[in-house]
């Protein structure tokens, strides 16, 4: 795996594209400008890695579109040292972005193949998420809660209650809800018992699957 000047050049153009689409958070743009996205994809897609598109990864899953990664990351309003939970580790690209933003990152993946592969790969790249979990994201990670923010990177049929209850007061849940396409939702916990909900545009994700066992 090499990160050549050609890759770096394409990455700068991608950052420009994201800015033109309205992404303004400097730290998010910097992270995307830094992380070699082509490392997170099958080598056969290497030439396309800096297009603003989702691509297939293992286990019938996808690496999210860069605009989606940027949009969700921006909505989370991450500050250094924040406790952040990601549902759907997948390729680990979004996990790497969260690490670059200075968060203490916890991430859950239900596909064992991806969980194993990505765990090894992130550590090879030098990323140190606090905890990668093989399990069901619907349940969150109660043993590490509360979190400053939670990001769901798969389309949820409904908002799982445990995720809302694992937010700190002031914490933010960014979750795409609905069937294809999903509507991006932001829930801000305004008190122990109250949440403020905002809706954003349409996005397309693979489904957040419920484990039946
Ligand atoms: N953040 C990833 C997105 C991968 S696609 C990336 O940028 O690469 C969504 C991921 O969510 C898939 O890897 C899928 O296996 C995982 N997923 C789906 N349902 C899940 C669940 N209930 N719990 C945890 N992960 C889940």
């Amino acid at each position: 795996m090499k990160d050549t000047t050609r890759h770096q050049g394409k990455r700068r153009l991608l950052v420009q594209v994201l800015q033109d689409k309205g992404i303004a958070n400097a730290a998010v743009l910097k992270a995307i400008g830094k992380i070699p996205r082509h490392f997170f994809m099958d080598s056969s897609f290497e030439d396309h890695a800096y297009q603003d598109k989702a691509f297939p990864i293992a286990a019938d899953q996808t690496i999210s579109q860069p605009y989606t990664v940027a949009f969700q990351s921006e909505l989370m309003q991450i500050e250094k040292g924040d406790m952040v939970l990601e549902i759907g580790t997948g390729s680990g690209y979004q996990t790497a972005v969260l690490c670059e933003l200075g968060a203490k990152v916890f991430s859950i993946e239900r596909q064992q193949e991806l969980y194993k592969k990505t765990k090894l790969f992130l550590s090879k790249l030098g990323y140190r998420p606090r905890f990668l979990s093989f399990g069901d994201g619907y349940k969150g990670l109660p043993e590490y809660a509360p979190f400053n923010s939670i990001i769901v990177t798969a389309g949820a049929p409904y908002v799982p209650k445990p995720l809302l209850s694992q937010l700190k007061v002031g914490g933010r849940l960014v979750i795409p809800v609905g069937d294809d396409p999903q509507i991006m939702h932001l829930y801000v916990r305004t008190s122990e018992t109250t949440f403020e909900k905002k809706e954003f545009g349409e996005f397309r994700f693979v489904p957040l699957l419920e484990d039946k066992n």
Side-chain angles (χ1 to χ4, degrees):
M1 279 188 307
K2 278 199 184 127
D3 189 32
T4 64
T5 51
R6 191 173 60 90
H7 292 119
Q8 289 159 20
K10 286 187 179 182
R11 205 144 67 228
R12 272 195 296 276
L13 292 178
L14 172 62
V15 168
Q16 188 61 55
V17 166
L18 298 179
Q19 265 178 309
D20 293 345
K21 289 184 178 176
I23 303 299
N25 184 305
V28 170
L29 292 167
K30 190 175 166 199
I32 289 174
K34 181 173 173 191
I35 302 169
R37 186 173 186 249
H38 62 285
F39 287 3
F40 293 80
M41 295 165 53
D42 193 277
S43 57
S44 56
F45 296 115
E46 184 174 340
D47 280 346
H48 308 293
Y50 297 103
Q51 292 176 9
D52 189 21
K53 284 186 182 160
F55 285 99
I57 53 174
D60 283 334
Q61 302 304 320
T62 55
I63 176 169
S64 295
Q65 182 183 343
Y67 176 73
T68 304
V69 172
F71 190 87
Q72 289 193 280
S73 302
E74 194 164 71
L75 277 183
M76 293 166 83
Q77 296 187 353
I78 293 171
E79 290 179 17
K80 282 203 171 63
D82 273 4
M83 294 279 290
V84 169
L85 174 63
E86 174 188 29
I87 312 299
T89 316
S91 68
Y93 180 74
Q94 173 77 67
T95 320
V97 169
L98 299 171
C99 290
E100 288 287 352
L101 294 173
K104 295 180 181 124
V105 184
F106 300 77
S107 185
I108 310 176
E109 173 58 54
R110 71 181 287 285
Q111 297 275 356
Q112 192 163 35
E113 178 189 357
L114 281 171
Y115 160 75
K116 283 187 177 160
K117 187 171 152 186
T118 300
K119 188 174 180 175
L120 202 71
F121 177 66
L122 283 171
S123 85
K124 248 194 196 161
L125 281 186
Y127 288 107
R128 300 271 177 273
R130 286 296 163 104
F131 184 56
L132 296 177
S133 166
F134 170 54
D136 180 11
Y138 276 87
K139 301 189 177 77
L141 276 182
E143 59 275 41
Y144 293 100
F147 297 97
N148 296 92
S149 61
I150 300 177
I151 174 175
V152 179
T153 71
Y158 60 89
V159 179
K161 287 244 164 59
L163 300 186
L164 287 171
S165 69
Q166 289 172 32
L167 284 176
K168 290 186 185 179
V169 172
R172 302 162 77 83
L173 168 64
V174 178
I175 179 169
V177 185
D179 209 359
D180 189 24
Q182 292 85 29
I183 307 294
M184 194 63 73
H185 284 61
L186 167 69
Y187 287 84
V188 181
R189 187 168 204 165
T190 45
S191 75
E192 274 306 320
T193 52
T194 54
F195 295 86
E196 196 180 275
K197 178 177 102 169
K198 282 192 192 144
E199 289 184 20
F200 296 85
E202 291 182 357
F203 290 82
R204 283 201 158 75
F205 287 85
V206 293
L208 184 70
L209 297 174
E210 273 200 272
D211 285 331
K212 305 279 182 246
N213 49 359

Coordinates of all heavy atoms in Angstrom, one line a residue, residues 51-134:
Q51 N -13.3 9.5 -5.6 CA -14.6 10.0 -6.1 C -15.6 10.1 -4.9 O -15.4 9.3 -3.9 CB -15.2 9.0 -7.1 CG -14.4 9.0 -8.4 CD -14.9 7.9 -9.3 OE1 -16.0 7.3 -9.1 NE2 -14.2 7.6 -10.4
D52 N -16.5 11.0 -5.0 CA -17.4 11.1 -3.9 C -18.5 10.1 -4.0 O -19.7 10.4 -4.2 CB -18.0 12.6 -3.8 CG -18.8 12.8 -2.6 OD1 -18.6 12.1 -1.6 OD2 -19.6 13.8 -2.6
K53 N -18.1 8.8 -3.8 CA -19.1 7.7 -3.9 C -18.9 6.7 -2.9 O -17.7 6.5 -2.4 CB -18.9 7.1 -5.3 CG -19.4 7.9 -6.5 CD -19.3 7.0 -7.7 CE -19.8 7.9 -8.9 NZ -19.3 7.3 -10.2
A54 N -19.9 5.9 -2.6 CA -19.8 4.7 -1.7 C -19.3 3.6 -2.6 O -19.5 3.6 -3.8 CB -21.2 4.3 -1.2
F55 N -18.5 2.6 -2.0 CA -18.0 1.5 -2.8 C -18.2 0.2 -1.9 O -18.2 0.2 -0.7 CB -16.6 1.6 -3.1 CG -16.4 2.6 -4.3 CD1 -16.0 3.9 -4.0 CD2 -16.6 2.2 -5.6 CE1 -15.8 4.8 -5.1 CE2 -16.4 3.1 -6.6 CZ -16.0 4.4 -6.4
P56 N -18.3 -0.9 -2.6 CA -18.4 -2.2 -1.9 C -17.2 -2.6 -1.1 O -16.1 -2.3 -1.6 CB -18.7 -3.3 -3.0 CG -18.7 -2.6 -4.3 CD -18.3 -1.1 -4.1
I57 N -17.4 -3.1 0.1 CA -16.3 -3.7 0.9 C -16.6 -5.1 1.1 O -17.5 -5.7 0.4 CB -16.0 -2.9 2.2 CG1 -17.3 -2.8 3.0 CG2 -15.4 -1.5 1.9 CD1 -17.1 -2.2 4.4
A58 N -16.0 -5.8 2.1 CA -16.3 -7.2 2.3 C -17.7 -7.4 2.8 O -18.4 -6.4 3.3 CB -15.3 -7.8 3.2
A59 N -18.2 -8.6 2.9 CA -19.5 -9.0 3.5 C -20.7 -8.2 3.0 O -21.6 -7.9 3.8 CB -19.3 -8.9 5.0
D60 N -20.7 -7.9 1.7 CA -21.8 -7.2 1.1 C -22.1 -5.8 1.7 O -23.2 -5.3 1.7 CB -23.1 -8.0 1.2 CG -23.1 -9.1 0.2 OD1 -22.5 -9.0 -0.8 OD2 -23.8 -10.1 0.4
Q61 N -21.1 -5.2 2.3 CA -21.3 -3.9 2.9 C -20.6 -2.8 2.1 O -20.0 -3.1 1.0 CB -20.7 -3.9 4.4 CG -21.3 -5.0 5.2 CD -22.9 -4.9 5.3 OE1 -23.4 -3.8 5.4 NE2 -23.5 -6.0 5.2
T62 N -20.7 -1.6 2.5 CA -20.1 -0.5 1.7 C -19.3 0.4 2.6 O -19.5 0.5 3.8 CB -21.2 0.4 1.0 OG1 -22.1 0.8 2.0 CG2 -22.0 -0.4 0.0
I63 N -18.3 1.1 2.0 CA -17.6 2.2 2.6 C -18.5 3.4 2.3 O -18.8 3.6 1.1 CB -16.2 2.3 2.2 CG1 -15.5 3.6 2.8 CG2 -16.0 2.3 0.7 CD1 -13.9 3.6 2.6
S64 N -18.9 4.2 3.3 CA -19.8 5.3 3.0 C -19.2 6.3 2.1 O -18.0 6.5 2.0 CB -20.1 6.0 4.3 OG -20.9 5.2 5.2
Q65 N -20.1 7.1 1.4 CA -19.7 8.2 0.5 C -18.9 9.2 1.3 O -19.4 9.6 2.4 CB -20.9 8.7 -0.1 CG -20.7 9.8 -1.1 CD -22.0 10.4 -1.6 OE1 -23.1 9.7 -1.5 NE2 -22.0 11.6 -2.2
P66 N -17.8 9.8 0.8 CA -17.1 10.8 1.6 C -18.0 12.0 2.1 O -17.9 12.5 3.2 CB -16.1 11.3 0.6 CG -15.8 10.1 -0.2 CD -17.1 9.4 -0.4
Y67 N -19.0 12.4 1.2 CA -19.9 13.5 1.6 C -20.7 13.1 2.9 O -20.9 13.9 3.8 CB -20.8 13.9 0.5 CG -21.8 15.0 0.9 CD1 -21.4 16.3 1.1 CD2 -23.1 14.7 1.1 CE1 -22.3 17.3 1.5 CE2 -24.0 15.6 1.5 CZ -23.6 16.9 1.7 OH -24.5 17.9 2.2
T68 N -21.1 11.9 2.9 CA -21.9 11.4 4.0 C -21.1 11.3 5.3 O -21.5 11.7 6.3 CB -22.4 9.9 3.7 OG1 -23.2 10.0 2.5 CG2 -23.3 9.4 4.8
V69 N -19.8 10.8 5.1 CA -18.9 10.8 6.3 C -18.7 12.2 6.8 O -18.8 12.4 8.0 CB -17.6 10.2 5.8 CG1 -16.5 10.3 6.9 CG2 -17.8 8.7 5.5
A70 N -18.5 13.1 5.9 CA -18.2 14.5 6.3 C -19.5 15.1 6.9 O -19.4 15.8 8.0 CB -17.8 15.3 5.1
F71 N -20.6 14.9 6.3 CA -21.9 15.5 6.8 C -22.2 15.0 8.2 O -22.5 15.8 9.1 CB -23.0 15.1 5.9 CG -24.3 15.9 6.1 CD1 -24.5 17.1 5.6 CD2 -25.3 15.4 6.9 CE1 -25.6 17.9 5.8 CE2 -26.4 16.1 7.2 CZ -26.6 17.3 6.6
Q72 N -22.1 13.7 8.4 CA -22.4 13.1 9.8 C -21.3 13.6 10.8 O -21.7 13.9 11.9 CB -22.4 11.6 9.7 CG -23.6 11.0 8.9 CD -23.8 9.5 9.2 OE1 -23.1 8.7 8.6 NE2 -24.7 9.1 10.1
S73 N -20.1 13.6 10.4 CA -19.0 14.0 11.3 C -19.2 15.5 11.7 O -19.0 15.8 12.9 CB -17.6 13.9 10.7 OG -17.4 12.5 10.3
E74 N -19.6 16.3 10.8 CA -19.9 17.7 11.1 C -21.0 17.9 12.1 O -20.9 18.6 13.0 CB -20.2 18.4 9.8 CG -20.1 19.9 9.9 CD -20.0 20.6 8.5 OE1 -21.0 20.6 7.7 OE2 -19.0 21.1 8.1
L75 N -22.1 17.1 11.9 CA -23.3 17.2 12.8 C -22.9 16.8 14.2 O -23.6 17.2 15.1 CB -24.4 16.3 12.3 CG -25.3 16.8 11.2 CD1 -26.4 15.8 10.9 CD2 -25.9 18.2 11.6
M76 N -21.9 15.9 14.3 CA -21.6 15.4 15.7 C -20.9 16.5 16.5 O -20.9 16.4 17.8 CB -20.6 14.2 15.6 CG -21.3 13.0 15.0 SD -20.1 11.8 14.5 CE -19.9 10.9 16.0
Q77 N -20.3 17.5 15.9 CA -19.6 18.6 16.6 C -18.6 18.1 17.7 O -18.7 18.4 18.8 CB -20.6 19.5 17.3 CG -21.5 20.3 16.3 CD -22.4 21.3 16.9 OE1 -22.5 21.4 18.1 NE2 -23.1 22.1 16.1
I78 N -17.7 17.3 17.2 CA -16.8 16.6 18.1 C -15.7 17.6 18.6 O -15.2 18.4 17.9 CB -16.1 15.4 17.3 CG1 -17.2 14.4 17.0 CG2 -14.9 14.9 18.1 CD1 -16.7 13.3 16.1
E79 N -15.4 17.4 19.9 CA -14.3 18.2 20.5 C -13.3 17.1 21.0 O -13.6 16.0 21.3 CB -14.8 19.0 21.6 CG -15.6 20.2 21.1 CD -16.1 21.1 22.2 OE1 -15.6 21.0 23.4 OE2 -17.1 21.8 21.9
K80 N -12.0 17.6 21.0 CA -10.9 16.6 21.4 C -11.3 16.0 22.7 O -11.7 16.7 23.7 CB -9.6 17.4 21.5 CG -9.0 17.6 20.2 CD -7.5 17.9 20.3 CE -6.8 17.9 18.9 NZ -7.3 19.0 18.1
G81 N -11.1 14.7 22.8 CA -11.3 14.0 24.1 C -12.7 13.5 24.3 O -13.1 12.8 25.2
D82 N -13.6 13.8 23.3 CA -15.0 13.4 23.4 C -15.1 11.9 23.4 O -14.3 11.2 22.7 CB -15.8 13.9 22.2 CG -16.4 15.3 22.5 OD1 -16.1 15.9 23.5 OD2 -17.2 15.8 21.6
M83 N -16.1 11.3 24.1 CA -16.4 9.9 24.1 C -17.4 9.7 22.9 O -18.5 10.3 23.0 CB -17.1 9.5 25.4 CG -16.2 9.5 26.6 SD -15.2 8.1 26.7 CE -16.5 6.8 27.1
V84 N -17.0 9.0 21.9 CA -17.8 8.8 20.7 C -18.0 7.4 20.4 O -17.1 6.6 20.4 CB -17.1 9.5 19.5 CG1 -17.8 9.2 18.2 CG2 -17.1 11.0 19.7
L85 N -19.3 7.1 20.1 CA -19.7 5.7 19.7 C -20.1 5.6 18.3 O -20.9 6.5 17.8 CB -20.8 5.2 20.6 CG -21.4 3.8 20.3 CD1 -20.4 2.7 20.4 CD2 -22.6 3.5 21.2
E86 N -19.5 4.7 17.5 CA -19.9 4.5 16.1 C -20.6 3.1 16.0 O -20.1 2.1 16.5 CB -18.7 4.5 15.2 CG -19.0 4.1 13.8 CD -17.7 3.9 12.9 OE1 -16.7 3.5 13.5 OE2 -17.8 4.2 11.7
I87 N -21.7 3.1 15.3 CA -22.4 1.8 15.0 C -22.1 1.5 13.6 O -22.6 2.2 12.7 CB -23.9 1.9 15.3 CG1 -24.3 2.5 16.7 CG2 -24.5 0.5 15.1 CD1 -23.7 1.8 17.9
G88 N -21.4 0.3 13.3 CA -21.1 0.0 11.9 C -19.7 0.3 11.6 O -19.5 1.3 10.8
T89 N -18.7 -0.4 12.1 CA -17.3 -0.1 11.9 C -17.0 -0.2 10.4 O -16.2 0.6 9.9 CB -16.4 -1.1 12.7 OG1 -16.9 -1.2 14.0 CG2 -15.0 -0.6 12.7
G90 N -17.5 -1.3 9.8 CA -17.3 -1.5 8.3 C -15.8 -1.5 8.0 O -15.0 -2.2 8.5
S91 N -15.4 -0.6 7.0 CA -14.1 -0.6 6.6 C -13.1 0.1 7.6 O -11.9 0.0 7.5 CB -14.0 0.3 5.3 OG -14.3 1.6 5.6
G92 N -13.7 0.9 8.5 CA -12.9 1.6 9.5 C -12.6 3.0 9.0 O -11.9 3.8 9.8
Y93 N -13.1 3.4 7.9 CA -12.7 4.8 7.4 C -13.3 5.9 8.3 O -12.6 6.8 8.7 CB -13.2 4.9 5.9 CG -12.9 6.3 5.4 CD1 -11.6 6.6 5.0 CD2 -13.9 7.3 5.2 CE1 -11.3 7.9 4.5 CE2 -13.6 8.5 4.8 CZ -12.3 8.8 4.4 OH -12.0 10.1 3.9
Q94 N -14.6 5.7 8.6 CA -15.3 6.7 9.5 C -14.6 6.6 10.9 O -14.4 7.7 11.5 CB -16.8 6.4 9.6 CG -17.5 7.2 10.6 CD -17.8 8.6 10.1 OE1 -18.6 8.8 9.2 NE2 -17.2 9.6 10.8
T95 N -14.2 5.5 11.3 CA -13.5 5.3 12.6 C -12.2 6.1 12.6 O -11.9 6.8 13.6 CB -13.2 3.8 12.8 OG1 -14.3 3.0 12.4 CG2 -12.9 3.5 14.3
A96 N -11.5 6.0 11.5 CA -10.3 6.8 11.4 C -10.5 8.3 11.4 O -9.8 9.1 12.0 CB -9.5 6.4 10.1
V97 N -11.6 8.7 10.7 CA -11.9 10.2 10.8 C -12.2 10.6 12.2 O -11.7 11.6 12.7 CB -13.2 10.5 9.9 CG1 -13.7 11.9 10.1 CG2 -12.8 10.2 8.4
L98 N -13.0 9.8 12.9 CA -13.3 10.1 14.3 C -12.0 10.2 15.2 O -11.9 11.1 16.0 CB -14.3 9.1 14.9 CG -15.6 9.0 14.2 CD1 -16.4 7.8 14.7 CD2 -16.4 10.3 14.4
C99 N -11.1 9.3 14.9 CA -9.8 9.3 15.6 C -9.0 10.6 15.3 O -8.5 11.2 16.2 CB -8.9 8.1 15.3 SG -9.5 6.5 15.9
E100 N -9.0 10.9 14.0 CA -8.3 12.2 13.6 C -8.9 13.4 14.3 O -8.2 14.4 14.5 CB -8.3 12.4 12.1 CG -7.5 11.4 11.3 CD -6.0 11.7 11.4 OE1 -5.6 12.7 12.0 OE2 -5.2 10.8 10.9
L101 N -10.2 13.3 14.6 CA -10.9 14.5 15.2 C -10.6 14.5 16.7 O -11.0 15.4 17.5 CB -12.4 14.4 15.0 CG -12.8 14.6 13.5 CD1 -14.3 14.4 13.4 CD2 -12.4 16.0 13.0
G102 N -9.8 13.6 17.2 CA -9.3 13.6 18.6 C -10.3 12.9 19.6 O -10.2 13.1 20.8
A103 N -11.3 12.2 19.0 CA -12.2 11.5 19.9 C -11.7 10.3 20.5 O -10.8 9.7 20.0 CB -13.5 11.2 19.1
K104 N -12.3 9.9 21.7 CA -12.0 8.5 22.2 C -13.1 7.7 21.5 O -14.3 7.8 21.8 CB -12.2 8.5 23.7 CG -11.2 9.3 24.4 CD -11.4 9.3 25.9 CE -10.4 10.2 26.7 NZ -11.1 11.2 27.5
V105 N -12.7 6.8 20.6 CA -13.6 6.1 19.7 C -14.0 4.7 20.2 O -13.1 3.9 20.4 CB -13.1 6.1 18.3 CG1 -14.2 5.5 17.4 CG2 -12.7 7.5 17.8
F106 N -15.3 4.4 20.2 CA -15.8 3.1 20.5 C -16.6 2.7 19.2 O -17.3 3.6 18.7 CB -16.7 3.1 21.7 CG -15.9 3.5 23.0 CD1 -15.6 4.8 23.2 CD2 -15.5 2.5 23.9 CE1 -14.9 5.2 24.3 CE2 -14.8 2.9 25.0 CZ -14.5 4.2 25.2
S107 N -16.5 1.5 18.7 CA -17.2 1.2 17.5 C -17.7 -0.2 17.5 O -16.9 -1.1 18.0 CB -16.3 1.5 16.3 OG -17.0 1.3 15.1
I108 N -18.8 -0.5 17.0 CA -19.4 -1.8 17.0 C -19.7 -2.3 15.6 O -20.2 -1.6 14.7 CB -20.8 -1.8 17.8 CG1 -20.7 -1.1 19.1 CG2 -21.3 -3.2 17.9 CD1 -22.0 -1.0 19.9
E109 N -19.3 -3.6 15.3 CA -19.6 -4.2 14.0 C -20.2 -5.6 14.2 O -19.7 -6.3 15.0 CB -18.3 -4.2 13.2 CG -18.4 -5.0 11.9 CD -19.4 -4.5 10.9 OE1 -19.4 -3.3 10.6 OE2 -20.3 -5.3 10.5
R110 N -21.2 -5.9 13.4 CA -21.9 -7.2 13.6 C -21.4 -8.3 12.7 O -21.7 -9.5 12.9 CB -23.4 -7.1 13.5 CG -23.9 -6.8 12.1 CD -25.4 -6.7 12.1 NE -26.1 -7.9 12.3 CZ -26.2 -8.9 11.3 NH1 -25.6 -8.7 10.2 NH2 -26.8 -10.0 11.6
Q111 N -20.6 -7.9 11.6 CA -20.1 -8.9 10.7 C -18.7 -9.3 11.2 O -17.8 -8.4 11.2 CB -19.9 -8.3 9.3 CG -21.2 -7.9 8.7 CD -21.9 -9.1 8.0 OE1 -21.3 -10.2 7.9 NE2 -23.1 -8.8 7.5
Q112 N -18.5 -10.5 11.6 CA -17.3 -10.9 12.2 C -16.1 -10.7 11.3 O -15.0 -10.3 11.7 CB -17.3 -12.4 12.6 CG -16.1 -12.7 13.5 CD -16.4 -14.0 14.3 OE1 -17.0 -14.9 13.8 NE2 -15.9 -14.1 15.5
E113 N -16.3 -11.0 10.0 CA -15.2 -10.9 9.0 C -14.7 -9.4 9.0 O -13.4 -9.2 9.0 CB -15.7 -11.3 7.6 CG -14.7 -11.1 6.5 CD -15.4 -11.3 5.1 OE1 -16.6 -11.6 5.1 OE2 -14.7 -11.1 4.1
L114 N -15.6 -8.5 9.0 CA -15.2 -7.0 8.9 C -14.6 -6.6 10.3 O -13.6 -5.9 10.3 CB -16.4 -6.2 8.6 CG -16.8 -6.1 7.2 CD1 -18.2 -5.4 7.0 CD2 -15.8 -5.4 6.3
Y115 N -15.2 -7.1 11.3 CA -14.7 -6.7 12.7 C -13.2 -7.1 12.8 O -12.4 -6.3 13.2 CB -15.5 -7.4 13.7 CG -14.9 -7.5 15.1 CD1 -14.7 -6.4 15.9 CD2 -14.3 -8.7 15.5 CE1 -14.1 -6.5 17.1 CE2 -13.6 -8.8 16.7 CZ -13.5 -7.7 17.5 OH -12.8 -7.8 18.7
K116 N -12.9 -8.3 12.4 CA -11.5 -8.8 12.6 C -10.6 -8.1 11.6 O -9.5 -7.7 12.1 CB -11.5 -10.3 12.2 CG -12.0 -11.2 13.3 CD -11.8 -12.7 13.0 CE -12.2 -13.6 14.0 NZ -12.4 -15.0 13.5
K117 N -11.0 -8.0 10.4 CA -10.1 -7.4 9.4 C -9.8 -5.9 9.7 O -8.7 -5.5 9.7 CB -10.9 -7.5 8.0 CG -10.1 -7.1 6.8 CD -10.9 -7.5 5.6 CE -10.6 -6.5 4.5 NZ -11.4 -6.7 3.3
T118 N -10.9 -5.2 10.1 CA -10.7 -3.8 10.3 C -9.9 -3.5 11.6 O -9.2 -2.6 11.7 CB -12.1 -3.1 10.3 OG1 -12.7 -3.3 9.0 CG2 -12.0 -1.6 10.6
K119 N -10.1 -4.3 12.6 CA -9.4 -4.2 13.9 C -7.9 -4.2 13.6 O -7.1 -3.4 14.1 CB -9.8 -5.3 14.8 CG -9.3 -5.1 16.2 CD -9.9 -6.1 17.2 CE -9.3 -5.9 18.5 NZ -9.8 -6.7 19.5
L120 N -7.5 -5.2 12.8 CA -6.1 -5.4 12.5 C -5.6 -4.3 11.7 O -4.5 -3.7 11.9 CB -6.0 -6.7 11.7 CG -4.6 -7.4 11.7 CD1 -4.4 -8.0 13.1 CD2 -4.7 -8.5 10.6
F121 N -6.4 -3.9 10.7 CA -6.0 -2.9 9.8 C -5.8 -1.5 10.4 O -4.8 -0.8 10.1 CB -7.0 -2.9 8.6 CG -6.8 -1.8 7.6 CD1 -5.6 -1.9 6.8 CD2 -7.6 -0.7 7.5 CE1 -5.4 -1.0 5.9 CE2 -7.3 0.2 6.5 CZ -6.2 0.1 5.7
L122 N -6.8 -1.1 11.3 CA -6.6 0.2 11.9 C -5.4 0.3 12.8 O -4.7 1.3 12.8 CB -7.9 0.5 12.8 CG -9.1 0.9 12.0 CD1 -10.4 0.9 12.9 CD2 -9.0 2.3 11.3
S123 N -5.1 -0.8 13.4 CA -3.9 -0.8 14.3 C -2.6 -0.7 13.4 O -1.6 -0.1 13.8 CB -3.9 -1.9 15.3 OG -3.3 -3.1 14.8
K124 N -2.6 -1.4 12.3 CA -1.5 -1.3 11.4 C -1.3 0.1 10.9 O -0.2 0.5 10.7 CB -1.9 -2.1 10.1 CG -1.1 -3.4 9.9 CD -1.3 -3.8 8.5 CE -0.9 -5.2 8.2 NZ -1.6 -5.7 7.0
L125 N -2.4 0.8 10.7 CA -2.3 2.2 10.2 C -1.9 3.2 11.4 O -1.7 4.4 11.1 CB -3.6 2.7 9.6 CG -3.9 2.3 8.2 CD1 -5.2 3.0 7.7 CD2 -2.8 2.6 7.2
G126 N -1.9 2.7 12.6 CA -1.6 3.5 13.7 C -2.8 4.2 14.4 O -2.6 5.0 15.3
Y127 N -4.0 3.8 14.0 CA -5.2 4.3 14.7 C -5.4 3.5 16.0 O -5.3 2.3 16.0 CB -6.4 4.4 13.8 CG -6.2 5.5 12.7 CD1 -5.9 5.1 11.4 CD2 -6.3 6.8 13.1 CE1 -5.7 6.1 10.5 CE2 -6.1 7.8 12.2 CZ -5.8 7.5 10.9 OH -5.6 8.5 9.9
R128 N -5.8 4.2 17.0 CA -6.0 3.6 18.3 C -7.4 3.9 18.9 O -7.5 4.6 19.8 CB -5.0 4.1 19.3 CG -3.5 3.8 18.9 CD -3.0 2.5 19.4 NE -1.7 2.2 19.0 CZ -1.4 1.6 17.8 NH1 -2.3 1.2 17.0 NH2 -0.1 1.4 17.5
P129 N -8.4 3.3 18.2 CA -9.7 3.5 18.9 C -9.7 2.9 20.3 O -8.9 1.9 20.5 CB -10.7 2.8 17.9 CG -9.9 1.9 17.1 CD -8.5 2.5 17.0
R130 N -10.5 3.4 21.2 CA -10.5 2.8 22.6 C -11.0 1.4 22.6 O -10.5 0.6 23.3 CB -11.4 3.7 23.5 CG -10.8 5.0 23.9 CD -9.5 4.8 24.7 NE -8.7 6.0 24.7 CZ -8.7 6.8 25.8 NH1 -9.3 6.5 26.9 NH2 -7.9 7.9 25.7
F131 N -12.0 1.1 21.8 CA -12.6 -0.2 21.9 C -13.4 -0.5 20.6 O -14.2 0.2 20.2 CB -13.5 -0.4 23.1 CG -14.1 -1.7 23.3 CD1 -13.2 -2.8 23.4 CD2 -15.4 -1.9 23.4 CE1 -13.8 -4.1 23.6 CE2 -16.0 -3.2 23.6 CZ -15.1 -4.3 23.7
L132 N -13.0 -1.7 20.0 CA -13.8 -2.2 18.8 C -14.5 -3.4 19.3 O -13.9 -4.3 19.9 CB -12.9 -2.5 17.6 CG -12.1 -1.3 17.0 CD1 -11.2 -1.8 15.9 CD2 -13.0 -0.3 16.5
S133 N -15.8 -3.4 19.1 CA -16.7 -4.4 19.6 C -17.3 -5.2 18.5 O -17.8 -4.7 17.5 CB -17.8 -3.8 20.5 OG -18.8 -4.7 20.8
F134 N -17.3 -6.5 18.7 CA -18.1 -7.4 17.8 C -19.4 -7.7 18.4 O -19.5 -8.4 19.4 CB -17.3 -8.7 17.6 CG -18.1 -9.8 16.8 CD1 -18.6 -9.5 15.6 CD2 -18.2 -11.0 17.4 CE1 -19.4 -10.5 14.9 CE2 -18.9 -12.0 16.7 CZ -19.5 -11.7 15.4

